[in-house]
Amino acid sequence: MTLELTRDELAALSDGQLAAIDAWWRACNYLTAGQIYLKDNALLERPLIVEDIKPRLLGHWGTSPGLSFIYAHMSRLINLTGQQAIYLAGPGHGGPALVAASWLEGTYSEIYPDVGFDRTGIVRLFRQFSTPGGIPSHVSVTTPGSIHEGGELGYVLMHAFGSVMDNPDLLTVAVVGDGEAETGPLEGSWKGISFLNPVRDGAVLPILHLNGAKIAGPTVLGRKPPAEVRALFEGHGYQVIEVEGSDLPGMHHRFAAALATAYQMITEINHSAREAGRIDVRPRWPMIILRSPKGWTGPGQVDGNQVVGTWRSHQVPLAGVRENQDHLRLLEEWMRSYRPEELFDAEGAPVELVRTANPPGPLRMSASPHANGGLVSRPLDLPNFRDFAVPVDAPGGGRTESTRCLGTMLAEIYRRNPDRFRLFSPDETNSNRLGAVFEVSDRAFMERIESGDVRISHDGRVMEVLSEHNCHGWLEGYTLTGRHGIFATYEAFAMVSASQTVQHSKWLEEAARLPWRAPIPSFNVLLTSTAWRNDHNGFSHQGPGLIQIMLTHRGEIARIYFPPDANCLLSVADHCLRSMSYVNLIVIDKQPQLQWLTMEEAAEHCARGASVWTWAGNDDPGHEPDIVLACAGDIVTMEVVAAAEILRERLPQLRIRVVNVVDLMKLIRPKDHPHGMGEMQFAELFTESVDVIFAFHGFPGAIHQVLHGRPDADRFHVRGYIEEGTTTTPFDMTALNQVTRYHLVIDAITNARRIPAGAGDLLAWCEQKLAEHNAYIVEHLEDLPDIRDWHLPAR
Ligand SMILES: Cc1ncc(C[n+]2csc(CCOP(=O)(O)OP(=O)(O)O)c2C)c(N)n1
């Protein structure tokens, strides 16, 4: 960052600057109102008539003038300092303000040439807003300069913090709505500064937009005594700068001064930290509280009710303009109050005075490459995943903690990519066996560090905060601005931030349809400490729901992997870390588990996504088996292999085939998902008519969903997690959910094409084994030794 001007010079708004800022802001407000209301007569070249008004009035006015006021002042700061900045609008429902800003900056027309810098362009700008075939009402993917839609409120600060991690030249301005500030995620996200190191990270400037109202009532912070509000943010560690009022030009002068003060603090923090190459105490970063009226500059009173400064201005302050001549007149007065004839030339382009307020080229916040992260992204320098292979002499012979092997690979990725890779975890890096990363980097922490602390330092880059929301949001901000990472979490608690996964998936889905949005690094989620091995934590820690949620997303972006062992995990992780613009779920437990495939076999298996494990079955190649045993997920894979082993031993005449699925999307028809396997490959694995017993990691319904439309899909009998669990033994988790080897053997026998002699005895034996298990664990408090220590006998 540069600070060639002093704070006082930055603060002093010259007459020329004031005129430009004010004209730009008026133009932005005019275009905002125009987007909400007009479909014609965009420059008010004649009196407004009902036919000029859109049939459906959609959009949010209330937050918009505040958003554009801040934007205008940020542009001036950029013009004076050359600072690279992006703008995140927490109240993203102020979409028309940000669309208008990017149009005024020229970026909109550069990206969408049909919305040009002229009268026709303005009409299109107005007509397209919140209308069919047009653009959404929020600061969404289509909005140039946006990395934050702000549709689901609560995530703006975490996106902002993620955007500046390992991005030292960037200043991210994050406008926080005072209603948004009531959400749990937002409240937790002020803590971002406890993890931001100015030596290598950029800066976030939070601006709390305290306009006092939400959709239909007051905000908590709006009604608190200002001293309490101030104390709250000082308690979070910020230096609070307050600006209040609605007087003009007074507010321009005061806000320019506030921004100058904040900027000076930021540059001083950065300068001293970077000069010294280290920092010993967490800086007190600035934040601004802006108290300005909701719906500022909009209609004051409507039908005898106060609108400006109240919740009534939240959406469309004059709702009856098509039916009510008085409303139509008020709308015209309101829009003419911005004096459009001074702001747009005869062709409809913004006049020179307005345009001088814009920063040049990529310094325009709407044109910042940081907000189109794929443009600045560099691929990861990845090691050869084969170098981390677990030796496997024979399938199912020995146990390894698979995620520990991944940890070793992640450590090497940290080593090779000190400026563009981070692991994000809610306090679980060690618990999830990924602790090898600490050989390369400590945990990031900017608060006081004590002598007994382990692997924690100001310059650490492993991100641990006990907030799935923050982990998720930081990684989103990090990848949206071009860097790479992985979010590792307990499977059940991925549901805490599931809504963020949904929102980010939506973002990626829409981005995939916009050629100007460069692909960004994928959002990788490692789901571990899974439902099947939370025997020590119990029912609250069991929940494979995120899998179900990802299945609802478009094939362009949704990927779900179930590596059954360490070598498969390494191969899958390598693939995911190379990929762009997907949401990749990788599901595998962290406890010691049997290993099945050599690295070469694993790489081939993962490349196929699903294959027959010939060594586990006994069917003849080229002939249909009597039954297929299929599996997706590590623990259920073990149960399937064990079931197949029982059948081979005790019912050798029964021809069984074992199929393992790593890439769940392979099961979907190719017309429904790009990974879907063709009919021939599907039949090669599952035949066209033989019954399949499918043991699945997640809810059984997921498999029925992905198999929709496959030949004779009714023949798939799925067992999976059925919401049973408690604090019990590992094997009992599978027993409670009826997916043990014994259940699978029973299913195989009852559904096989042929029922060989001896099947009845085997059924009885299975029932007896289950009863034995039930009795044994209650008596001995652990699993039967032959279950606990089971491995596949060498052949
Ligand atoms: C998580 C979430 N809950 C509810 C809503 C519905 N909603 C949209 S705007 C809004 C009020 C926002 O108030 P504030 O953050 O103060 O923004 P502003 O006043 O600037 O419009 C609400 C509740 C939402 N978008 N997201």
Side-chain angles (χ1 to χ4, degrees):
M1 294 184 192
T2 51
L3 183 61
E4 281 152 25
L5 297 176
T6 64
R7 184 248 160 222
D8 289 348
E9 285 165 336
L10 259 186
L13 201 53
S14 70
D15 289 348
Q17 288 167 359
L18 174 64
I21 273 201
D22 193 60
W24 190 97
W25 186 44
R26 281 187 285 129
C28 203
N29 286 337
Y30 179 85
L31 295 172
T32 300
Q35 287 176 80
I36 295 173
Y37 285 99
L38 301 188
K39 65 181 168 69
D40 203 355
N41 193 13
L43 291 169
L44 289 184
E45 288 160 308
R46 54 176 168 73
L48 265 187
I49 54 172
V50 168
E51 286 68 28
D52 298 329
I53 307 294
K54 291 178 173 182
R56 284 158 40 84
L57 300 178
L58 303 167
H60 297 80
W61 163 251
T63 193
S64 295
L67 292 179
S68 50
F69 180 81
I70 297 166
Y71 199 102
H73 280 267
M74 269 305 298
S75 290
R76 170 177 170 268
L77 183 92
I78 293 167
N79 270 328
L80 292 174
T81 61
Q83 175 64 50
Q84 296 179 44
I86 59 173
Y87 186 103
L88 272 53
H93 42 279
L98 274 291
V99 169
S102 68
W103 187 83
L104 286 170
E105 290 187 320
T107 322
Y108 210 92
S109 307
E110 288 161 21
I111 292 175
Y112 306 109
D114 56 327
V115 186
F117 228 29
D118 54 19
R119 179 183 288 99
T120 321
I122 298 186
V123 173
R124 290 207 174 121
L125 188 77
F126 288 3
R127 283 185 64 93
Q128 68 170 13
F129 176 74
S130 277
T131 50
I135 60 166
S137 60
H138 284 61
V139 190
S140 58
V141 198
T142 55
T143 312
S146 171
I147 62 162
H148 175 82
E149 146 126 9
E152 185 167 289
L153 298 168
Y155 312 132
V156 70
L157 271 183
M158 39 188 93
H159 285 168
F161 282 111
S163 75
V164 301
M165 289 173 187
D166 297 320
N167 210 359
D169 296 330
L170 185 65
L171 169 63
T172 297
V173 174
V175 182
V176 179
D178 50 351
E180 177 183 27
E182 293 173 15
T183 65
L186 197 289
E187 180 64 47
S189 64
W190 295 103
K191 296 190 177 68
I193 51 170
S194 302
F195 301 85
L196 208 63
N197 183 332
V199 175
R200 45 112 204 270
D201 300 327
V204 173
L205 176 59
I207 301 182
L208 177 68
H209 186 197
L210 223 162
N211 61 19
K214 307 189 285 262
I215 298 179
T219 61
V220 173
L221 294 179
R223 295 288 169 92
K224 265 188 189 294
E228 272 188 22
V229 178
R230 191 182 181 97
L232 176 68
F233 295 108
E234 285 174 349
H236 275 300
Y238 293 89
Q239 303 204 43
V240 180
I241 304 165
E242 290 169 276
V243 181
E244 178 170 5
S246 60
D247 55 306
L248 293 167
M251 278 293 275
H252 282 305
H253 288 293
R254 295 201 294 282
F255 195 75
L259 208 49
T261 305
Y263 190 68
Q264 186 201 32
M265 289 174 182
I266 290 169
T267 46
E268 279 178 7
I269 290 167
N270 285 342
H271 186 72
S272 58
R274 290 172 195 180
E275 189 91 320
R278 53 173 294 172
I279 181 150
D280 297 323
V281 238
R282 176 188 47 70
R284 291 188 77 79
W285 295 94
M287 70 162 292
I288 297 176
I289 298 178
L290 171 63
R291 288 188 175 84
S292 66
K294 189 150 178 166
W296 194 8
T297 74
Q301 289 224 334
V302 180
D303 302 334
N305 290 320
Q306 181 64 22
V307 172
V308 77
T310 76
W311 52 267
R312 288 195 182 85
S313 62
H314 181 70
Q315 288 184 354
V316 179
L318 292 160
V321 279
R322 286 177 69 88
E323 306 83 32
N324 181 330
Q325 277 301 318
D326 207 32
H327 282 202
L328 188 65
R329 182 183 54 77
L330 284 173
L331 173 63
E332 181 158 355
E333 274 175 21
W334 167 22
M335 293 195 67
R336 287 199 190 280
S337 75
Y338 299 118
R339 305 193 297 281
E341 64 287 356
E342 291 176 12
L343 306 173
F344 304 97
D345 66 19
E347 308 308 319
V351 298
E352 182 59 23
L353 178 65
V354 172
R355 283 191 292 191
T356 54
N358 292 331
L363 285 182
R364 295 169 295 175
M365 289 185 287
S366 60
S368 170
H370 293 286
N372 191 357
L375 296 179
V376 287
S377 182
R378 285 177 297 146
L380 280 178
D381 176 0
L382 287 171
N384 185 344
F385 64 91
R386 293 176 172 80
D387 293 348
F388 306 89
V390 175
V392 176
D393 298 331
R399 287 185 159 75
T400 297
E401 293 164 318
S402 298
T403 55
R404 203 174 285 287
C405 304
L406 175 65
T408 316
M409 183 163 100
L410 294 182
E412 181 58 22
I413 298 174
Y414 257 103
R415 197 170 281 120
R416 290 169 180 234
N417 301 276
D419 58 353
R420 57 186 188 280
F421 176 77
R422 292 198 192 196
L423 167 67
F424 298 80
S425 166
D427 183 31
E428 295 158 5
T429 306
N430 269 336
S431 166
N432 290 332
R433 319 288 195 260
L434 301 172
V437 293
F438 296 132
E439 289 161 20
V440 184
S441 178
D442 292 332
R443 296 173 180 88
F445 201 53
M446 292 302 298
E447 300 298 343
R448 192 183 70 252
I449 292 172
E450 299 185 349
S451 57
D453 289 341
V454 177
R455 297 294 180 202
I456 188 156
S457 67
H458 293 340
D459 56 5
R461 291 176 57 259
V462 177
M463 307 311 294
E464 280 202 350
V465 58
L466 209 176
S467 159
E468 284 76 9
H469 289 119
N470 272 320
C471 290
H472 205 293
W474 289 348
L475 178 56
E476 283 180 32
Y478 198 64
T479 54
L480 282 160
T481 48
R483 292 164 314 288
H484 309 251
I486 184 163
F487 168 41
T489 177
Y490 286 8
E491 179 183 50
F493 304 141
M495 292 302 282
V496 171
S497 52
S499 199
Q500 291 176 276
T501 316
V502 169
Q503 295 296 332
H504 189 59
S505 301
K506 287 174 187 290
W507 179 280
L508 293 173
E509 284 167 356
E510 287 305 285
R513 296 181 177 176
L514 296 174
W516 63 271
R517 284 241 175 230
I520 58 166
S522 292
F523 191 89
N524 300 306
V525 187
L526 176 70
L527 298 180
T528 185
S529 299
T530 65
W532 301 103
R533 284 294 178 268
N534 253 300
D535 38 277
H536 60 302
N537 283 314
F539 201 31
S540 63
H541 285 54
Q542 296 178 262
L546 199 67
I547 296 163
Q548 214 80 9
I549 288 171
M550 277 319 293
L551 280 178
T552 61
H553 284 281
R554 290 185 204 150
E556 289 104 308
I557 65 109
R559 305 285 181 270
I560 309 175
Y561 298 98
F562 294 95
D565 67 4
N567 288 336
C568 290
L569 173 62
L570 293 167
S571 170
V572 164
D574 175 77
H575 174 79
C576 293
L577 289 166
R578 283 175 201 281
S579 72
M580 301 291 276
S581 297
Y582 297 148
V583 175
N584 296 308
L585 296 194
I586 307 173
V587 190
I588 188 166
D589 193 59
K590 65 185 184 186
Q591 302 289 350
Q593 54 185 205
L594 290 173
Q595 302 295 313
W596 310 107
L597 304 183
T598 65
M599 182 46 95
E600 278 325 301
E601 290 165 344
E604 197 186 327
H605 180 48
C606 293
R608 285 175 189 269
S611 37
V612 176
W613 281 5
T614 44
W615 49 263
N618 64 1
D619 66 324
D620 304 320
H623 288 91
E624 288 205 334
D626 298 318
I627 192 82
V628 177
L629 294 181
C631 44
D634 49 0
I635 302 302
V636 292
T637 293
M638 176 172 73
E639 292 309 308
V640 158
V641 174
E645 184 60 16
I646 293 169
L647 288 165
R648 285 163 54 124
E649 278 259 309
R650 297 177 165 259
L651 222 52
Q653 310 92 313
L654 193 74
R655 299 283 121 193
I656 47 178
R657 176 183 297 176
V658 172
V659 177
N660 182 263
V661 179
V662 179
D663 175 354
L664 190 66
M665 304 320 205
K666 279 272 164 193
L667 298 178
I668 302 178
R669 291 179 301 183
K671 68 175 179 181
D672 297 326
H673 195 285
H675 281 198
M677 63 176 107
E679 277 172 29
M680 274 188 32
Q681 194 194 348
F682 191 84
E684 276 167 22
L685 294 181
F686 298 108
T687 77
E688 281 179 355
S689 55
V690 172
D691 280 32
V692 181
I693 310 303
F694 203 120
F696 181 50
H697 172 93
F699 296 108
I703 295 298
H704 293 300
Q705 184 178 338
V706 294
L707 289 171
H708 170 78
R710 291 295 190 181
D712 197 5
D714 279 358
R715 69 198 159 100
F716 283 78
H717 311 273
V718 186
R719 289 192 177 271
Y721 177 73
I722 51 170
E723 275 291 329
E724 290 291 343
T726 179
T727 310
T728 184
T729 67
F731 186 73
D732 198 43
M733 284 293 188
T734 54
L736 291 171
N737 288 286
Q738 302 174 14
V739 68
T740 67
R741 53 202 68 182
Y742 308 119
H743 290 94
L744 298 172
V745 167
I746 294 170
D747 278 355
I749 292 172
T750 43
N751 291 287
R753 282 191 165 178
R754 289 182 306 129
I755 312 218
D761 290 349
L762 185 53
L763 285 178
W765 180 81
C766 287
E767 300 287 3
Q768 181 230 316
K769 290 299 287 182
L770 284 168
E772 192 186 333
H773 156 77
N774 284 335
Y776 187 91
I777 59 168
V778 174
E779 173 71 19
H780 298 274
L781 312 182
E782 61 172 346
D783 281 325
L784 282 154
D786 60 337
I787 299 275
R788 191 191 58 211
D789 304 328
W790 184 83
H791 61 269
L792 192 61
R795 300 205 177 99

